[in-house]
Amino acid sequence: DQQVKQNSPSLSVQEGRISILNCDYTNSMFDYFLWYKKYPAEGPTFLISISSIKDKNEDGRFTVFLNKSAKHLSLHIVPSQPGDSAVYFCAASDLANRDDKIIFGKGTRLHILP
Amino acid sequence: AAGVIQSPRHLIKEKRETATLKCYPIPRHDTVYWYQQGPGQDPQFLISFYEKMQSDKGSIPDRFSAQQFSDYHSELNMSSLELGDSALYFCASSLTGGGSPLHFGNGTRLTVT
């Protein structure tokens, strides 16, 4: 059973606009959430994270929002740039139970259109 | 900055052969994780080691084993290979202590023919 769900396999966004990638999770024990970006032939690269004690974390063009009651998080990229075209994985872990491994969603392929 | 190093990058084996994948974590990282990503799939957790001891186990087949050595590098040993083992195998490392993200290597692409 998929504990981390990314329901959009792909997303196309015009360059300069906002990209919003969504993620839902089912395990209420998750307390740490991450977004990874993956280019072809490379490993996932850590992008941004958020702890469950927060509802927003911002780092430059990237902002992650967490809605614990809805078990939903989203990644906003603004403005979107051509180099943002990649697969984005949402991931979660249960740090309170000392479980450092992260569980990935299936990923969303983001295409930034010129 | 030093990253996670995996070798080899590509590996082609025949069914029923064995394969060994190597991972060199970022210096001072004490935890190593192995993930398997099949075509069109999300990375699936296989196994992890903390301070050279197995710390967690996921969907790792009994045909696979892994260990972490005194220099913190890790090896994933795969025996009696099957066609379904063809995948990208990622190693990641982190500094355990809560909130430290995993840093991934570029993976080993294993093809079983």
Side-chain angles (χ1 to χ4, degrees), chain A residues 2 4 32 34 36 38 41-46 49 87 89 95 98-107, chain B residues 9 31 33 35 37 41-45 56 88 90 94 96-107:
Chain A
Q2 196 77 16
V4 178
Y32 184 59
L34 312 93
Y36 280 81
K38 186 180 180 304
E42 294 183 11
T45 303
F46 170 72
S49 64
V87 177
F89 289 99
L95 292 185
R98 305 177 66 81
D99 190 352
D100 287 351
K101 72 173 184 290
I102 60 175
I103 307 298
F104 284 91
K106 290 192 178 298
Chain B
R9 286 299 307 274
T31 306
Y33 308 77
Y35 281 80
Q37 185 179 19
Q41 300 297 313
D42 51 303
Q44 291 287 319
F45 171 72
D56 201 352
L88 262 175
F90 289 108
S94 74
T96 296
S100 174
L102 276 61
H103 295 268
F104 284 82
N106 284 331

Side-chain angles (χ1 to χ4, degrees), chain A residues 37-64:
Chain A
K37 177 179 177 179
K38 186 180 180 304
Y39 293 119
E42 294 183 11
T45 303
F46 170 72
L47 202 54
I48 192 169
S49 64
I50 188 167
S51 162
S52 61
I53 62 173
K54 292 186 169 184
D55 54 20
K56 177 183 174 181
N57 188 26
E58 192 173 349
D59 183 3
R61 295 185 300 115
F62 303 92
T63 303
V64 55

Side-chain angles (χ1 to χ4, degrees), chain B residues 49-69:
Chain B
F49 291 86
Y50 168 68
E51 286 291 344
K52 292 153 276 183
M53 299 286 290
Q54 181 182 309
S55 56
D56 201 352
K57 197 171 181 179
S59 51
I60 183 169
D62 292 339
R63 299 178 289 107
F64 294 6
S65 64
Q67 56 182 326
Q68 186 179 29
F69 295 85

Side-chain angles (χ1 to χ4, degrees), chain A residues 24-90:
Chain A
D24 298 291
Y25 60 96
T26 58
N27 188 343
S28 57
M29 300 303 292
F30 286 147
D31 56 7
Y32 184 59
F33 304 90
L34 312 93
W35 284 93
Y36 280 81
K37 177 179 177 179
K38 186 180 180 304
Y39 293 119
E42 294 183 11
T45 303
F46 170 72
L47 202 54
I48 192 169
S49 64
I50 188 167
S51 162
S52 61
I53 62 173
K54 292 186 169 184
D55 54 20
K56 177 183 174 181
N57 188 26
E58 192 173 349
D59 183 3
R61 295 185 300 115
F62 303 92
T63 303
V64 55
F65 295 93
L66 175 63
N67 182 334
K68 287 187 290 294
S69 60
K71 294 194 180 69
H72 177 84
L73 64 154
S74 60
L75 174 68
H76 292 212
I77 307 173
V78 55
S80 300
Q81 298 175 353
D84 297 330
S85 294
V87 177
Y88 289 79
F89 289 99
C90 173

Side-chain angles (χ1 to χ4, degrees), chain B:
Chain B
V4 176
I5 306 295
Q6 289 187 247
S7 69
R9 286 299 307 274
H10 302 274
L11 190 58
I12 300 175
K13 291 284 185 178
E14 294 187 356
K15 280 195 315 183
R16 293 180 288 278
E17 285 192 317
T18 61
T20 297
L21 279 55
K22 297 185 178 182
C23 170
Y24 297 86
I26 291 173
R28 293 190 301 279
H29 279 193
D30 52 16
T31 306
V32 167
Y33 308 77
W34 286 97
Y35 281 80
Q36 177 193 56
Q37 185 179 19
Q41 300 297 313
D42 51 303
Q44 291 287 319
F45 171 72
L46 292 178
I47 195 168
S48 62
F49 291 86
Y50 168 68
E51 286 291 344
K52 292 153 276 183
M53 299 286 290
Q54 181 182 309
S55 56
D56 201 352
K57 197 171 181 179
S59 51
I60 183 169
D62 292 339
R63 299 178 289 107
F64 294 6
S65 64
Q67 56 182 326
Q68 186 179 29
F69 295 85
S70 57
D71 63 352
Y72 291 93
H73 95 272
S74 178
E75 294 183 5
L76 178 65
N77 299 294
M78 310 156 72
S79 62
S80 303
L81 287 169
E82 302 173 356
L83 295 178
D85 296 329
S86 296
L88 262 175
Y89 290 83
F90 289 108
C91 172
S93 72
S94 74
L95 191 58
T96 296
S100 174
L102 276 61
H103 295 268
F104 284 82
N106 284 331
T108 294
R109 181 173 293 282
L110 172 67
T111 303
V112 181
T113 62

